[in-house]
Amino acid sequence: MKAKRFLIIPIFLPFEGCEHRCIYCNQRLLHPENIDISPQNIKNKIYQYISTYQGDRNRTEIEVAFYGGSFTALNTERQIQLLSSVNEYFQSKLIDGIRFSTRPDKIQKDLLKTYKKLGVSTIEIGGQIFNDNILNKIKRNHTAKDIRDAVKELKSYGFRTSIHLMFGLPFSSTQDDIFSIEETIKLSPDFVRLHPTLVLKNTELEQLYLKGGYKPLSLDQTIYILRYAIKRFSQSDIKIIRVGLHNDEFLMKPGTIVAGPFHPSLKQLAMKDLD
Ligand code: SF4
């Protein structure tokens, strides 16, 4: 029997819940259209996706995803409001689940059962790198232990988990990236997202780059680390659901990417001739 495919309906909440600004991040540049999103807008957007979907519903798992902020760091009322706005679609089985991305140090244990009741199936953890010194310098303000603890906790409640990793971060080396891949494998998440670091406009990383304090990975270096990651994650049965930022009109707007190893088909490039 063919594996099910996923249809993700993304709802972007730029910087909602983010107490700190990670030095490489500029969500407003990437998702300007969804600012101040209301429950009614969310319902309309889901309806639009579902009513125009032409694939085989029996073979497709449809999830609504809240991305672009730190979901579990929002106040409880806002979290419940957002999840409830999706709930009617979940109850009527028009969607199969909800997912969101968040910081590893902001998992609220007392809300995990509520998430389950409201249809959350997958929680994606922004880990980026398993090195406390670098996490501190890039202003993540959490530790590698927070990543490990969060994933273990979420798995114990039966959530599917995903870890986001970034390669070529400032102050990091290839060894750091390889170490992070191996640490991720030890946690055995269901999925990973892999993001070679890009320098985006209006970020602290752009300032660092312009002052000569950061050298992005070259495309060759990026392919090297991606090939390692693809091999190791596939040996460990961990699905890679994304490589690189979503290649859309916002990312492609001239001036958005200041520097870094951008390529429209990075994953395909890395997989070429891989045995
Ligand atoms: S926590 Fe995520 S969304 Fe918030 S600033 Fe950092 S990378 Fe951006």
Side-chain angles (χ1 to χ4, degrees):
M1 193 174 130
K2 269 194 191 167
K4 278 200 169 187
R5 64 186 300 268
F6 278 97
L7 172 71
I8 302 291
I9 304 176
I11 311 286
F12 292 103
L13 311 164
F15 288 131
E16 273 204 58
C18 299
E19 291 165 13
H20 313 280
R21 194 62 58 88
C22 306
I23 70 168
Y24 50 81
C25 182
N26 188 347
Q27 295 292 338
R28 298 219 180 275
L29 209 59
L30 300 178
H31 314 297
E33 92 280 29
N34 271 341
I35 295 167
D36 296 331
I37 197 145
S38 66
Q40 193 53 49
N41 280 347
I42 295 174
K43 286 182 192 177
N44 294 346
K45 184 165 180 180
I46 298 169
Y47 179 74
Q48 217 177 14
Y49 265 84
I50 292 173
S51 58
T52 54
Y53 183 63
Q54 296 192 329
D56 181 350
R57 181 67 182 93
N58 293 325
R59 290 176 186 269
T60 311
E61 201 164 329
I62 302 182
E63 285 191 343
V64 170
F66 293 102
Y67 290 148
S70 303
F71 192 90
T72 58
L74 296 170
N75 67 48
T76 305
E77 292 75 48
R78 177 69 169 148
Q79 292 187 52
I80 304 290
Q81 180 200 50
L82 290 166
L83 296 175
S84 303
S85 66
V86 177
N87 198 252
E88 66 185 76
Y89 291 103
F90 179 65
Q91 293 301 338
S92 55
K93 300 196 184 331
L94 286 168
I95 64 161
D96 302 300
I98 304 171
R99 62 170 66 194
F100 55 72
S101 59
T102 195
R103 296 171 57 85
D105 58 335
K106 293 290 179 188
I107 300 296
Q108 299 180 47
K109 216 172 157 180
D110 54 336
L111 282 180
L112 293 180
K113 283 190 180 149
T114 308
Y115 296 152
K116 277 257 140 143
K117 268 194 223 136
L118 289 173
V120 175
S121 44
T122 308
I123 300 183
E124 303 199 21
I125 294 296
Q128 321 312 4
I129 191 159
F130 283 71
N131 178 311
D132 289 349
N133 188 28
I134 300 169
L135 283 167
N136 190 32
K137 285 183 170 162
I138 62 172
K139 301 196 175 165
R140 289 289 302 170
N141 292 6
H142 65 74
T143 63
K145 181 176 181 301
D146 291 327
I147 310 171
R148 295 184 186 100
D149 290 349
V151 174
K152 284 178 195 160
E153 185 76 34
L154 295 175
K155 284 167 80 104
S156 77
Y157 276 76
F159 291 103
R160 277 193 300 221
T161 56
S162 158
I163 298 178
H164 301 190
L165 290 179
M166 292 182 71
F167 301 141
L169 280 163
F171 319 106
S172 74
S173 64
T174 303
Q175 282 67 35
D176 291 313
D177 291 341
I178 286 176
F179 180 72
S180 294
I181 292 167
E182 296 301 332
E183 289 301 290
T184 299
I185 288 170
K186 283 184 199 161
L187 291 171
S188 186
D190 299 272
F191 319 108
V192 286
R193 288 178 190 266
L194 309 176
H195 293 294
T197 305
L198 296 177
V199 180
L200 298 180
K201 192 165 84 177
N202 296 338
T203 58
E204 218 179 306
L205 186 57
E206 180 189 22
Q207 296 310 313
L208 189 67
Y209 168 74
L210 293 176
K211 279 190 263 169
Y214 172 59
K215 191 169 176 257
L217 290 181
S218 68
L219 200 54
D220 280 352
Q221 288 169 316
T222 305
I223 297 299
Y224 172 83
I225 189 70
L226 283 178
R227 286 170 72 94
Y228 180 88
I230 290 168
K231 232 177 183 168
R232 291 292 293 125
F233 286 128
S234 107
Q235 284 166 352
S236 314
D237 223 9
I238 296 171
K239 203 169 168 202
I240 300 174
I241 52 173
R242 170 148 290 281
V243 175
L245 291 174
H246 188 49
N247 179 10
D248 62 13
E249 56 181 309
F250 302 116
L251 187 68
M252 289 298 97
K253 209 167 158 199
T256 296
I257 301 173
V258 176
F262 174 78
H263 188 285
S265 334
L266 258 187
K267 190 174 177 189
Q268 286 81 341
L269 211 61
M271 287 185 71
K272 205 165 155 235
D273 306 325
L274 204 64
D275 38 74

